[in-house]
Amino acid sequence: MSTNTTTRRLTMAQAISEATAQEMARDPRVFVMGEDVGKYGGIFSATTGLLDQFGPERVMDTPISETGFMGAALGAAAEGLRPISELMFVDFFGVCFDQIYNHIAKNHYMSGGACRYPLVITTGIGGGYNDAAQHSQCLYSIFAHVPGLKVVVPSNAYDAKGLMTTAIRDDNPVVFLYHKGIMGLSWMSYFEGSTNEVPEEQYTIPFGQARVVREGSDVTIVTLSQMVQKSVLAADRLAAEGISAEVLDLRTLVPLDRAAVLKSVQRTGRLLVADEDYLSFGLSGEIAALVAENLDTLRLKAPVRRLAVPDVPIPFSRPLEQFAIPQVDNIVASVRGLMTFKLD
Amino acid sequence: MEATAEQLRWMYEKMIEIRDYEETMSRVYLEAKLPPKIQKGLAFDIGAGPVPGEMHLAAGQEPVAVGVCAHLRRDDTVVGAHRPHHFAIAKDVDLNAMTAEMFGKATGLGRGKGGHMHLFDPAVKFSCSGIVGAGAPQACGAALAAKKLGTDAVAIAFFGEGAANQGAFHEALNLAALWRLPVVFVVEDNKYGISVEKSASTAIASNADRAVAYGMPGVLVERNDALAVFTAAGEAVARARRGDGPTLIEVKTDRYFGHFQGDPETYRPKGEAKELRQHDPIPALGAVLRARGLLDDAADAALRARVSGRVQAAYDFGRNSPYPEPQDALLHVFAE
């Protein structure tokens, strides 16, 4: 980023809609569709202002008909357009997953590379505001599990704008998952670290490049999305205790920056995965497996630890939900625990 | 709408080509799948032979494909279903590459990655899907693109009567009518969803009646007849092309083979398929051509020989093409 660039503090929601608007202005093939993306501007404000700027032909409110419009996004992408299709809550993937995992993800492969489907699925993820089990999940691991989808999970406004621009320009299907609790909404408390300085001009951030949010030498916290902000707060507290935690923001799951994870763990010798998705068979296991498969290149000073939702649906009641979703306290405690080991 | 001589000849030749293709496949498919060449105790081995996997043939359903595609241009989109050969042939999909795909060869449409239910030929805007009902929303997307790009191209979604009970069908119809999309939904009612009769799966007799719920015309074609389909589709395609929105057509058609090859067809009255073949739509269209002076015995024989040569060449191409390198399984997950 050059020094004479004009920047402003933007929320992640503003950054996403700005990236979309700038790309729509640059490329007439780009259009947005989804539930309440027009006048409402997106339930989580990811499309605010787009209708006024581009009109209803390019910012299309859809019926509550996710199979219909996800399939239509695929069909339009096959014809050379570049749809951005919003799935309001990721939890709603169940009503349209056939279009996503059987078609959007696989058609390029099944065509032997002959057909391309440049489209972006944007979707809101995450809990922490008592919306219960059908409106609070993360589920990015499910999308990452299916071959053929790129999976982007930003933690802050600057990254969100650059990654969204990259997503729209990518010739592959990209699932772009934004955590509601870092969008900077005026009606939901959020982690302020997610609102940051964002250049006015367009820029791209390549997929598959994790970011060291905070350098450290004792332990690596591999994380993403809202949990990055929690991990930074935890790292502050740990620093006061003399523990130096490195926070690594994966930013994209597909492609996954495996080298960055290994490089950091090689240095620190300790790994905590801080994740808001379900514990079993998901991201945290994938990162742990990566380290296990590379034990010939690194020496662990403690067993790998995973923090994630302990395989329960997200509960409604505040104390229940706060228990189920890993919090700053849990990250601090887990790192402290890691520091007590002495492996030879 | 009267079919021109050229359209009549085209439909007739395409129907013969489809029939020849499917009859040939019914034989080739069985190669090396039956005792004694297979594992002891098996009656049939689906994964054996030069064309492995499932195989859904469309012999008998030719009128649907040719009656609709006679109205289409190269830049119109067709989305087919799990029984796709007749649509692909009628949309002029490359016959050699399509056949090679079914043999799992590197020269196939999808370099051997798709197989017979997943044929993609972007040159003629053809695709299909093995998931029942999934193509209808995708055709809406193609139609939406045509509208946005300001062309007068149309999109056709073909699927069976079983698909009309999927949510995707109803969502697609609503979207198409709501957005006035240039799309035509064509239901092939071949009476069975695999083994289940339509009367046991569908609350009403004609899916065409469902169109009224979405504010679009619904047309029932009651005969498995190319010209009857041609007439209904002609109006629907013209309506879509001039920007007046979607149409739903249901065609009562006949499936001569089982749901898939190897289907014991115990759900069917004995002799039903044989009886259906007594009403073969190909000689019926041939008689129309003859009555118009467009066909005689010599021309018919010449045409059949030409088609047969083309089909045989495609099978030879598929059979003789090389397999992909095994590690090519890792390619084409993402576009570069």
Side-chain angles (χ1 to χ4, degrees), chain B residues 45-131:
Chain B
D45 186 354
I46 187 170
V51 181
E54 284 183 64
M55 180 54 65
H56 311 82
L57 299 180
Q61 302 183 194
E62 298 89 352
V64 188
V66 302
V68 175
C69 292
H71 301 285
L72 300 186
R73 307 186 308 230
R74 200 176 164 84
D75 66 332
D76 292 325
T77 293
V78 166
V79 184
H82 61 285
R83 190 183 309 284
H85 304 169
H86 52 330
F87 307 133
I89 291 170
K91 190 63 173 73
D92 284 329
V93 166
D94 184 309
L95 202 63
N96 284 1
M98 165 176 150
T99 310
E101 185 61 25
M102 297 184 210
F103 279 85
K105 298 300 180 70
T107 53
L109 286 172
R111 305 175 200 239
K113 289 188 161 118
H116 111 102
M117 283 187 279
H118 314 107
L119 304 169
F120 296 83
D121 190 349
V124 294
K125 298 201 173 186
F126 180 86
S127 67
C128 56
S129 167
I131 305 296

Side-chain angles (χ1 to χ4, degrees), chain A residues 31 33 57-58 60-63 65-69 71-72 74-76 79 81 98-99 102-103 105 107-117 147-150 171-173 254, chain B residues 77 101 109-111 113-114 118 120-122 125 129-131 133-135 137-138 140-142 144-145 148-149 167-168 171-172 174-175 178-179 328-336:
Chain A
F31 71 102
M33 63 176 161
E57 293 296 314
R58 294 184 70 194
M60 306 176 68
D61 275 329
T62 62
S65 204
E66 290 86 354
T67 288
F69 70 78
L74 168 81
E79 303 287 330
L81 297 183
D98 176 62
Q99 291 295 337
N102 257 333
H103 297 90
N107 277 10
H108 175 74
Y109 185 83
M110 294 196 297
S111 74
C115 300
R116 290 182 179 218
Y117 304 90
L149 300 171
K150 295 191 178 179
D171 274 348
N172 294 284
V254 182
Chain B
T77 293
E101 185 61 25
L109 286 172
R111 305 175 200 239
K113 289 188 161 118
H118 314 107
F120 296 83
D121 190 349
K125 298 201 173 186
S129 167
I131 305 296
Q138 296 166 12
C140 288
L144 179 66
K148 284 184 181 301
L149 295 168
E171 292 192 24
N174 182 59
L175 265 195
L178 180 72
W179 291 344
D328 288 354
L330 301 178
L331 304 178
H332 305 119
V333 176
F334 291 111
E336 293 303 319

Side-chain angles (χ1 to χ4, degrees), chain A residues 214 230-243 245 247 332:
Chain A
R214 181 191 175 106
K230 290 180 179 173
S231 297
V232 168
L233 295 175
D236 285 342
R237 279 167 51 184
L238 291 163
E241 300 173 17
I243 300 171
V247 177
V332 171

